[in-house]
Amino acid sequence: GGGAAAPPQLRELLRACDAVGAEAVGLGHSAPGDGVIHRFRQSVGNSLKPSYMPIYSDPEMELGVFLLPAGCSLPLHDHPGMTVVSKVLTGHMQIRGLDWAAPQPAGWAPGAACPAREATLVRNELLGPDSPAVALTPNSGGNIHELYARSACAFLDVLVPPYTAAGCGYYDVMPNTLAREAELGSSAGLKLVQAPEDFYIDKVEYTGAPIVS
């Protein structure tokens, strides 16, 4: 334990996430009208802020569900040294992911003094409940990614290992380096920036099936 998911573990994790439906986490159509479901269904028209429903965490992994109103986006960010497995449970979400073209330069950190780093577009797809779970590993699959809710959506998110105090990095795409309709394999210049000041994620209580560890 303690590191990013190894390939056999990753395959097992992908299979497990594929088996999870909205009902299992308390977001099914037949579930009672508790506060989480009411908020998810009713707030989509007047809020573009995401919510997060933590489900389980231990020293080796973290599991939760993000709730995104239609039109909500999670800005371009990464998960250094982590494997992320995501599975859309309801609604539709666009994911666009990049990987670094070369190892990190020494001393690279947020601030105007650091030059942009080159990254390659490796993922650009629309995910829905029928889509298989996707894996973003530390060095492949689009660990640097942005998410956009085409419709109100919820997606399961598994982090291996969990966040550290350092959290994730946020990035700006340098002007004229990555068009919205860019093809896979396109290059982009990314600049590490401070977390957006107006970006925050509300937490909501988990009301789904009990977790057996």
Side-chain angles (χ1 to χ4, degrees):
Q9 296 171 303
L10 183 54
R11 288 193 292 270
E12 183 179 341
L13 187 55
L14 286 165
R15 284 195 297 269
C17 289
D18 280 335
V20 177
E23 293 80 6
V25 298
L27 293 174
H29 294 296
S30 60
D34 61 77
V36 173
I37 297 170
H38 177 79
R39 174 174 185 161
F40 175 57
R41 292 179 175 164
Q42 301 298 324
S43 71
V44 293
N46 55 32
S47 171
L48 289 182
K49 294 296 183 184
S51 296
Y52 179 68
M53 184 166 63
I55 296 177
Y56 174 81
S57 66
D58 65 25
E60 295 191 348
M61 67 171 288
E62 181 176 339
L63 170 68
V65 172
F66 280 91
L67 310 173
L68 306 184
C72 175
S73 62
L74 298 185
L76 192 64
H77 65 284
D78 66 0
H79 299 275
M82 301 161 65
T83 293
V84 182
V85 173
S86 298
K87 174 68 172 77
V88 173
L89 304 176
T90 184
H92 289 85
M93 174 182 78
Q94 188 83 24
I95 178 171
R96 192 159 78 149
L98 305 98
D99 290 321
W100 295 121
Q104 177 174 320
W108 199 67
C114 288
R117 282 181 70 187
E118 183 181 352
T120 303
L121 183 66
V122 298
R123 186 188 297 277
N124 189 8
E125 56 190 317
L126 184 66
L127 302 176
D130 295 330
S131 304
V134 298
L136 318 178
T137 71
N139 299 306
S140 66
N143 191 282
I144 313 154
H145 55 283
E146 59 185 357
L147 308 172
Y148 178 78
R150 294 286 183 187
S151 60
C153 70
F155 67 93
L156 184 71
D157 212 44
V158 184
L159 303 177
V160 182
Y163 276 123
T164 65
C168 57
Y170 292 88
Y171 301 89
D172 280 345
V173 177
M174 298 301 289
N176 306 316
T177 65
L178 190 66
R180 178 56 56 183
E181 64 278 5
E183 297 181 354
L184 297 183
S186 299
S187 294
L190 302 185
K191 198 168 187 64
L192 188 59
V193 297
Q194 301 293 339
E197 291 185 4
D198 61 347
F199 180 67
Y200 66 91
I201 299 176
D202 288 334
K203 284 191 176 182
V204 296
E205 184 180 358
Y206 175 62
T207 58
I211 299 299
V212 180
S213 58

